[in-house]
Amino acid sequence: MDFDLNVALNDSRAYMCALESCPQPAASALPSILKPASGRLASPLASWPATYHDLPRELIERIGDYVPVQDVRNFSAVDRRTYHAMQSRRLVYRYWQRANQAVSLASVNQLLNEMDGTLADPAQHVEPLDALRQRLQALPEAEQGEAFKRLFAAAQRIPKDGVQIQKALLLHTLRDFHWSQRDELFDFAYAMAQRRAPEQDNIWTELADSLEFLLFGSAEFAKRYQALVARLASLRMSEQAELIPVLCRRMIHFGGSDDRLPGLYAVLREQALQLPPSHQGESVGMLASAIWALPHAERLAQYTQLRDVALSLPDEQLSIALRDLLEGLTDLPREHHAYELQLLEPALLRILPAQRAQAALGLLTYTYKLDDALVKWVWQQGLSLLNGAGEAALWDVLSKLRAKWLLSNLNDRQWNMVTGEITRFMETNQFSESARARIQDSALWLRSLPH
């Protein structure tokens, strides 16, 4: 139902809410209707309306496009002109309301059919479609699969934002389905991805990520994984750079003894080494972290090749590669650990300031796999990356290590070394007494298992 216009037009609170909801236009992005014919900005006093009520209807409509859908009702209540200028936006709002109340496949189909008949601009479908996506679990279980397909196909017709809805369906919705439905829905999404033009944004990376929702080690899982690997060569460079690291992560779902892993690893490595250095960092680092997939006799040679590639990368890409390089190092025989760490030490000086926290997290993640003597050295190096960053940066890294169950993996000797290095770091960086106390008093919590 619509609201009472006479009441709404006298609602000053709605007026204020509407004005606060409107984004302030940047000078560089002023609509053309506010520019003189010459293309040069006129004097503000000559061209900018004195009040909101003097704005032309066309500009009010454009402002309304930026108002979040949940605020459309309040914005429409500013005055009579705004109410009429917001006619199409109010229609989107009503569809969005209905989407939030959908309870069956029939109601989903009816709403989508009506939208197809009345909303001429595909971008107007985005907010109701996303609301329907979030309502899928409210539908009867037997109807959810068909509703997923209908929404996925509807999003395909939206040029820009539709792919974001498809990504959300894969990453946040597919996992809620029963095992028996996931393979079918994955295949449906894969088929839709094949229909996109090569120059369009696509969902290959999200499809690879959603492999974790399929049955690990099954023939169906392997088939779909291999299909994504085979597609790599046909993708754009940027898509390859995004997809290779995810495929490396998903290798673990085969199981460590699968005979197919070395061949798949070889394909991923070949594609990664063909990328330009400006796109290689994450792929090289993740390939190094996945050398466990290779026979023991091959790991050292593959790791050293990837380490050399990483050290030759531009600083930005090196910083990215180093986040995962240490994981691969810990899969080498222990007698190689100290030497490989020494080779990485000069590279730590090249890590860019904005990337130091992430690099520190990657460096410290797998220290529990090292000999005790190396644990202390690696923590010294990792914490040194946080010099000058303050208490919040240190706490963020420690909390993330705890969330990954990594601090609890340290033995008692290692933990004592770690707490000693944390104390030294806080003294070097002149933390306040209260800041030191907060960190030290949290030692038991940091080492505990996350729930």
Side-chain angles (χ1 to χ4, degrees):
M1 294 180 60
D2 219 326
F3 57 96
D4 189 324
L5 177 61
N6 293 321
V7 173
L9 293 180
N10 292 297
D11 187 350
S12 60
R13 290 177 300 174
Y15 176 84
M16 295 302 297
C17 177
L19 290 182
E20 292 171 357
S21 300
C22 297
Q24 296 300 313
S28 61
L30 290 174
S32 59
I33 57 175
L34 296 183
K35 297 180 181 179
S38 65
R40 294 174 297 177
L41 291 177
S43 167
L45 294 178
S47 63
W48 192 260
T51 68
Y52 170 83
H53 299 286
D54 295 322
L55 293 178
R57 172 171 174 154
E58 293 84 354
L59 184 54
I60 295 175
E61 291 176 354
R62 295 187 64 178
I63 293 172
D65 290 338
Y66 291 92
V67 175
V69 66
Q70 63 269 24
D71 296 328
V72 164
R73 177 178 177 135
N74 282 338
F75 184 70
S76 299
V78 170
D79 58 22
R80 187 180 299 275
R81 291 173 64 250
T82 304
Y83 180 82
H84 291 297
M86 291 288 289
Q87 180 178 354
S88 62
R89 195 78 175 111
R90 284 188 291 108
L91 180 58
V92 172
Y93 171 76
R94 288 195 291 272
Y95 285 140
W96 175 79
Q97 281 187 309
R98 287 173 56 188
N100 280 300
Q101 300 166 3
V103 294
S104 67
L105 177 61
S107 61
V108 170
N109 284 331
Q110 181 180 0
L111 179 56
L112 293 178
N113 290 337
E114 288 185 28
M115 288 166 55
D116 286 341
T118 58
L119 299 179
D121 183 357
Q124 294 176 306
H125 295 237
V126 171
E127 289 152 321
L129 276 183
D130 196 53
L132 285 174
R133 176 188 67 81
Q134 298 178 59
R135 286 287 296 177
L136 273 180
Q137 296 306 307
L139 274 56
E141 186 173 340
E143 299 179 351
Q144 291 174 11
E146 287 304 312
F148 180 101
K149 293 179 182 179
R150 184 74 199 272
L151 290 180
F152 206 97
Q156 186 88 347
R157 298 192 293 272
I158 302 174
K160 292 173 60 177
D161 296 316
V163 72
Q164 301 304 323
I165 294 175
Q166 292 180 329
K167 291 178 179 181
L169 282 165
L170 286 170
L171 296 180
H172 305 301
T173 309
L174 184 61
R175 63 186 174 192
D176 295 325
F177 285 88
H178 190 271
W179 287 101
S180 60
Q181 290 183 288
R182 293 179 189 177
D183 287 344
E184 177 186 354
L185 297 178
F186 181 96
D187 290 344
F188 180 86
Y190 188 97
M192 295 297 291
Q194 288 179 301
R195 299 180 188 178
R196 286 189 174 272
E199 69 276 6
Q200 291 181 302
D201 288 339
N202 217 316
I203 55 172
W204 300 117
T205 301
E206 289 69 28
L207 279 165
D209 246 337
S210 66
L211 284 168
E212 71 169 315
F213 306 136
L214 307 185
L215 188 59
F216 297 168
S218 66
E220 291 77 14
F221 171 88
K223 175 183 175 183
R224 291 164 177 82
Y225 183 97
Q226 290 169 316
L228 286 167
V229 172
R231 181 160 291 277
L232 267 173
S234 66
L235 301 182
R236 290 175 293 173
M237 176 183 61
S238 59
E239 291 176 320
Q240 292 182 32
E242 292 177 357
L243 182 54
I244 291 171
V246 179
L247 289 171
C248 288
R249 284 195 292 270
R250 293 293 160 255
M251 274 186 165
I252 197 169
H253 300 314
F254 277 93
S257 59
D258 196 298
D259 293 338
R260 292 167 290 197
L261 285 175
L264 293 168
Y265 185 96
V267 175
L268 296 179
R269 184 187 67 238
E270 180 181 0
Q271 292 295 143
L273 296 180
Q274 290 178 12
L275 294 171
S278 59
H279 286 70
Q280 277 186 325
E282 189 174 10
S283 295
V284 168
M286 285 302 303
L287 281 164
S289 74
I291 61 168
W292 59 265
L294 301 173
H296 287 277
E298 299 179 21
R299 293 180 184 179
L300 180 60
Q302 294 295 334
Y303 175 84
T304 54
Q305 179 193 25
L306 293 167
R307 176 249 293 153
D308 288 342
V309 172
L311 295 179
S312 71
L313 293 175
D315 290 353
E316 180 186 8
Q317 293 298 308
L318 168 67
S319 302
I320 296 171
L322 286 176
R323 296 194 308 231
D324 300 298
L325 210 61
L326 188 65
E327 182 179 3
L329 186 154
T330 58
D331 284 316
L332 300 177
R334 283 181 176 268
E335 59 266 26
H336 296 282
H337 289 179
Y339 174 73
E340 290 296 335
L341 287 170
Q342 289 175 3
L343 292 179
L344 294 182
E345 184 175 5
L348 299 180
L349 301 176
R350 294 171 51 197
I351 296 177
L352 302 178
Q355 296 172 305
R356 286 174 186 165
Q358 281 297 318
L361 182 62
L363 194 63
L364 301 175
T365 292
Y366 296 98
T367 50
Y368 69 92
K369 293 185 177 182
L370 300 172
D371 290 335
D372 292 354
L374 294 177
V375 170
K376 182 176 181 178
W377 183 88
V378 173
W379 271 83
Q380 288 174 348
Q381 298 299 318
L383 290 175
S384 70
L385 293 172
L386 302 178
N387 281 335
E391 178 189 358
L394 174 62
W395 182 254
D396 184 59
V397 168
L398 294 176
S399 299
K400 288 177 178 176
L401 289 170
R402 177 187 180 269
K404 295 180 177 182
W405 299 49
L406 299 170
L407 295 179
S408 60
N409 286 330
L410 297 167
N411 62 41
D412 290 341
R413 291 190 306 277
Q414 292 172 334
W415 178 245
N416 288 334
M417 292 178 187
V418 167
T419 54
E421 290 306 317
I422 293 173
T423 299
R424 187 185 65 81
F425 170 82
M426 292 191 293
E427 292 172 351
T428 301
N429 283 269
Q430 300 181 336
F431 278 29
S432 66
E433 289 297 330
S434 58
R436 294 187 208 179
R438 279 193 295 270
I439 299 290
Q440 291 167 342
D441 292 345
S442 301
L444 289 177
W445 179 83
L446 287 169
R447 202 182 178 192
S448 66
L449 295 176
H451 299 293

